[in-house]
Amino acid sequence: MTTLKLHIGGTEPHPDWKILDIEARPEVDFVGDAAHLTQFEDNSIEAIYASHVLEHFYYGLNDELINVLREWYRVLQQNGKLFISVPDLKVLCWLYLHPSLMPMERYQIMRIIFGGQTNQYDVHKVGFDVDILALYLEEAGFQNYQAVPEFGLFKDCSSLRLVDTLISLNVVATKAETFKS
């Protein structure tokens, strides 16, 4: 059985990962909405990597955020891994209030909190800290998850530092193995 590792929103080609993005680009293998992975069967993906993607979904309207996580859970194989990185709202708020920051540095932090807003897809609709993300992961079915400092898989926002501080919350969640009695 061929396994698939899916990098949602990726920009960096990697031989072990296929990229899914809402916008077609040369490095994109699958064009589609991360909220609707209908081109993938249940339990068909070994791992999902999504760095600074989840905050682009509404936390309230139509339960979009929880439905996205449930969709990711659906396509993951048993014991499949979800590598998720989101801006850490607690860290960003602390940095924003840092007394030594200049206005342009605070502006950069504001853009990380609310998205760059360069197009309709570059808008952030929710903020996370570890406890809030855990609530959503649990509601989607993930029981095992752990925050980690960095993934080290791709050169992306999951390792971004401002004022020598990591600004991302990085979590590895595992789809629990189901036991048949």
Side-chain angles (χ1 to χ4, degrees), residues 4-5 36 92 94 98 100 104 110-112 123-125 127 129 147 155 161 165-166 171-172:
L4 175 67
K5 293 181 180 181
H36 306 285
L92 291 167
W94 177 82
H98 198 281
S100 68
M104 281 309 292
M110 183 271 300
R111 289 190 70 217
I112 295 169
V123 176
H124 294 179
K125 301 171 182 172
D129 63 25
K155 296 174 189 160
R161 292 176 183 272
T165 303
L166 287 168
V171 172
V172 180

Side-chain angles (χ1 to χ4, degrees), residues 108-172:
Q108 282 304 111
I109 293 168
M110 183 271 300
R111 289 190 70 217
I112 295 169
I113 293 171
F114 295 104
Q117 302 188 13
T118 58
N119 64 32
Q120 68 203 35
Y121 305 116
D122 192 17
V123 176
H124 294 179
K125 301 171 182 172
V126 64
F128 297 99
D129 63 25
V130 68
D131 298 321
I132 299 298
L133 181 57
L135 291 173
Y136 283 103
L137 288 170
E138 289 173 10
E139 190 171 340
F142 292 97
Q143 298 172 356
N144 302 314
Y145 48 86
Q146 178 180 1
V148 297
E150 295 180 72
F151 298 125
L153 294 171
F154 298 96
K155 296 174 189 160
D156 60 19
C157 292
S158 66
S159 297
L160 181 62
R161 292 176 183 272
L162 295 174
V163 192
D164 202 32
T165 303
L166 287 168
I167 61 95
S168 294
L169 169 60
N170 299 312
V171 172
V172 180

Side-chain angles (χ1 to χ4, degrees), residues 8-178:
I8 298 176
T11 59
E12 180 184 338
H14 188 285
D16 298 332
W17 293 82
K18 298 293 183 188
I19 296 174
L20 176 130
D21 198 88
I22 196 146
E23 297 179 296
R25 296 186 311 275
E27 71 275 11
V28 172
D29 301 292
F30 303 100
V31 176
D33 187 337
H36 306 285
L37 301 180
T38 54
Q39 66 267 51
F40 304 105
E41 295 181 18
D42 294 0
N43 306 305
S44 64
I45 296 177
E46 177 184 347
I48 294 175
Y49 184 95
S51 177
H52 288 233
V53 172
L54 196 58
E55 64 274 12
H56 295 269
F57 296 98
Y58 290 109
Y59 66 91
L61 293 177
N62 300 316
D63 292 322
E64 186 178 40
L65 177 63
I66 191 62
N67 288 331
V68 167
L69 285 171
R70 285 179 178 151
E71 180 71 348
W72 295 359
Y73 187 88
R74 177 189 69 79
V75 300
L76 276 174
Q77 298 171 352
Q78 301 303 314
N79 294 313
K81 302 284 187 204
L82 172 60
F83 299 89
I84 189 162
S85 179
V86 293
D88 190 324
L89 190 56
K90 268 187 180 177
V91 170
L92 291 167
C93 288
W94 177 82
L95 283 171
Y96 188 86
L97 296 172
H98 198 281
S100 68
L101 290 186
M102 301 302 292
M104 281 309 292
E105 292 167 314
R106 287 196 315 277
Y107 175 76
Q108 282 304 111
I109 293 168
M110 183 271 300
R111 289 190 70 217
I112 295 169
I113 293 171
F114 295 104
Q117 302 188 13
T118 58
N119 64 32
Q120 68 203 35
Y121 305 116
D122 192 17
V123 176
H124 294 179
K125 301 171 182 172
V126 64
F128 297 99
D129 63 25
V130 68
D131 298 321
I132 299 298
L133 181 57
L135 291 173
Y136 283 103
L137 288 170
E138 289 173 10
E139 190 171 340
F142 292 97
Q143 298 172 356
N144 302 314
Y145 48 86
Q146 178 180 1
V148 297
E150 295 180 72
F151 298 125
L153 294 171
F154 298 96
K155 296 174 189 160
D156 60 19
C157 292
S158 66
S159 297
L160 181 62
R161 292 176 183 272
L162 295 174
V163 192
D164 202 32
T165 303
L166 287 168
I167 61 95
S168 294
L169 169 60
N170 299 312
V171 172
V172 180
T174 304
K175 181 174 178 177
E177 186 173 358
T178 55

